[in-house]
Amino acid sequence: MPAAAKTVFRPYRRRLVFTYTLSLTEFILELMYPFTIGLAINGFIAGEGLVSIVPLTAVWIAQSAVGAFYQMGAARMVARIYTDISGRLALRDRVSQDATSEVAARVTMVENVGYALADVVPMLIGGIVTIVGSTVMLFLFDLRAGIVALALVAIIAGLQWWFSVRAVDLNQKINTLRESQVSVVVSAIPARITDYLRALTRLKVKFKDVETGVWTMADVFALAAILVVLYLVAGDGAYNAGAIYSMVAYVMNLTDSLENAPILVDEGAHLYDVASRVAAEVEP
Amino acid sequence: MPAAAKTVFRPYRRRLVFTYTLSLTEFILELMYPFTIGLAINGFIAGEGLVSIVPLTAVWIAQSAVGAFYQMGAARMVARIYTDISGRLALRDRVSQDATSEVAARVTMVENVGYALADVVPMLIGGIVTIVGSTVMLFLFDLRAGIVALALVAIIAGLQWWFSVRAVDLNQKINTLRESQVSVVVSAIPARITDYLRALTRLKVKFKDVETGVWTMADVFALAAILVVLYLVAGDGAYNAGAIYSMVAYVMNLTDSLENAPILVDEGAHLYDVASRVAAEVEP
């Protein structure tokens, strides 16, 4: 977080910490679903009846309650931050005689910060809890399954790193081209417009092809990890139905979350950018 | 789809059908994961070795391949539509002497249509396939589990319907208030600005509270459905570990997808809106 953003958000520090602690708690409780479902399966198979569902029910209801508190708390925190910052922007700008449309645009920008604080931050927390937590849970069940999970995380992180380097390069080319968009449109020379649109779409198609290639590779590694875990949990008869369910559910959750990791990185970068710009407006 | 949008998209009809058939195929293959994972578990437990993983591997690799074809095909289709429509807009507007910034804004609008066609439509397809497909798979495994799934879908659809009626009402109030935003900011009377911001955030907090209430209720029904399915699959010892995994995974996928249903409805409405506006520009 840039220094300016720190200054802006300092007055809300305690509320932010409290709100995101709720969000973190919610995701940790959610992480317990596969484990407690496994307990319920084993309990029912052993004929233990209703006592089998106590852990799952407790975790689920706690998750719902914490989730509801988070939603209501976050809405109020965002409302407070929005009212404060928008008020300061709206009142300050009158003094400096800025254009009205600019002020209105900035008030909208503050709304984006609100969205980011209420929705993007918990998405980041959830992604990290699921990736780290699923790996830890697999380690707790079976050392070998944990090692497989860790290897998958490392391989996909490597692929993603390689892709992000290529993506920055291609995005720069796209942005450079896009800067000429208005002048090309204004020229109204059909050949220039057609050439411009072709060049732009060619770069975008190339971007998508590189991205697709990386994700297809990642998908093959994910399959390999799932197959190894399936063999480990069911191959030597060491685990009962409940443990099998839990471990397979953890490895599936892990592969799903890793697939969404690039979205998290994008949204995180966007959050940083929006927060910096609002901070620059409020504390120029 | 409005009539104007139909005219605009008619030339791409075959490509659209082909591309979305790929997307549909991808999601149907993904729907087979829990089932084929169940087969792998049972195969390994029965000591059948590598043959156990053939169905899962086949479905997974087919899904990856179809998914990659979809991504590359959709990128090219969107590029084609973007080039055609943007070209027509850019060339036409010169004749009618529109402002350059407006033309540039419309070209950006066409990009939004591209995003909607490549990302939103498959999201809608995926959501529907998962909700309908998981329910069907549960029926195929166990009639009683299927009935539980169907009841859950009906209850959550009812709750969601009730919420959407309330949401339209609250959104109207928010939009009416927002229309006065610019004039309030321009007035620069501190008391008016503060009152405006307070009224706006109060409505937003109320919206969030209603939404949270509905989702907490939905969450309790989802838990009830999961508990009943767990009892059905594990309670009377009728199913082996593989079938238990599959059925529990289907009911969990169903509850996850139902949770995302409101996002699908929002994005679908947004897609309709963007397509109508672009169509109105191209065929005035």
Side-chain angles (χ1 to χ4, degrees), chain A residues 60 64 71-72 76 82-83 87 94 100 103 111 178 185-186 188 200 204 208-209 212 219 223 226, chain B residues 60 64 71-72 76 82 94 100 103 111 178 185-186 188 197 200-201 204 208-209 212 219 223 226:
Chain A
W60 190 282
S64 284
Q71 293 294 344
M72 294 191 294
R76 282 160 179 79
Y82 173 75
T83 312
R94 174 67 176 180
T100 312
V103 179
E111 280 197 75
R178 214 189 271 276
V185 170
V186 172
L200 183 65
K204 285 189 166 185
K208 200 71 196 176
D209 285 354
T212 304
D219 226 21
L223 171 63
I226 291 166
Chain B
W60 190 282
S64 283
Q71 293 295 343
M72 293 191 293
R76 282 160 179 79
Y82 173 74
R94 173 68 176 178
T100 312
V103 178
E111 281 197 74
R178 215 189 270 276
V185 170
V186 173
L197 292 171
L200 184 64
T201 52
K204 285 188 165 187
K208 200 70 196 176
D209 286 353
T212 303
D219 226 21
L223 172 63
I226 291 166

Side-chain angles (χ1 to χ4, degrees), chain B residues 74-246:
Chain B
R76 282 160 179 79
M77 177 184 80
V78 165
R80 176 80 179 276
I81 294 178
Y82 173 74
T83 311
D84 286 2
I85 298 183
S86 295
R88 278 159 77 185
L89 279 178
L91 290 172
R92 195 203 68 195
D93 277 302
R94 173 68 176 178
V95 178
S96 63
Q97 299 288 349
D98 276 24
T100 312
S101 65
E102 261 184 51
V103 178
R106 274 181 220 146
V107 172
T108 306
M109 196 163 85
V110 181
E111 281 197 74
N112 290 339
V113 176
Y115 160 73
L117 290 176
D119 294 325
V120 176
V121 174
M123 209 172 87
L124 296 175
I125 295 174
I128 293 165
V129 168
T130 310
I131 292 173
V132 175
S134 301
T135 306
V136 169
M137 292 305 287
L138 282 167
F139 264 112
L140 292 177
F141 269 102
D142 188 302
L143 180 64
R144 300 162 303 169
I147 292 170
V148 171
L150 203 59
L152 181 68
V153 172
I155 289 169
I156 292 190
L159 278 171
Q160 192 51 37
W161 173 257
W162 178 85
F163 171 65
S164 67
V165 173
R166 291 274 333 221
V168 167
D169 180 49
L170 281 167
N171 267 327
Q172 246 161 15
K173 283 185 186 155
I174 290 174
N175 288 334
T176 308
L177 195 62
R178 215 189 270 276
E179 278 165 21
S180 66
Q181 178 162 306
V182 172
S183 73
V184 170
V185 170
V186 173
S187 80
I189 303 163
R192 264 194 81 187
I193 294 176
T194 313
D195 283 353
Y196 165 78
L197 292 171
R198 284 226 182 105
L200 184 64
T201 52
R202 203 160 31 225
L203 280 172
K204 285 188 165 187
V205 166
K206 192 168 180 189
F207 187 95
K208 200 70 196 176
D209 286 353
V210 176
E211 195 184 24
T212 303
V214 171
W215 282 110
T216 306
M217 257 192 285
D219 226 21
V220 173
F221 284 109
L223 172 63
I226 291 166
L227 292 179
V228 174
V229 169
L230 281 170
Y231 174 74
L232 291 174
V233 298
D236 54 5
Y239 293 100
N240 50 33
I244 290 174
Y245 173 84
S246 304

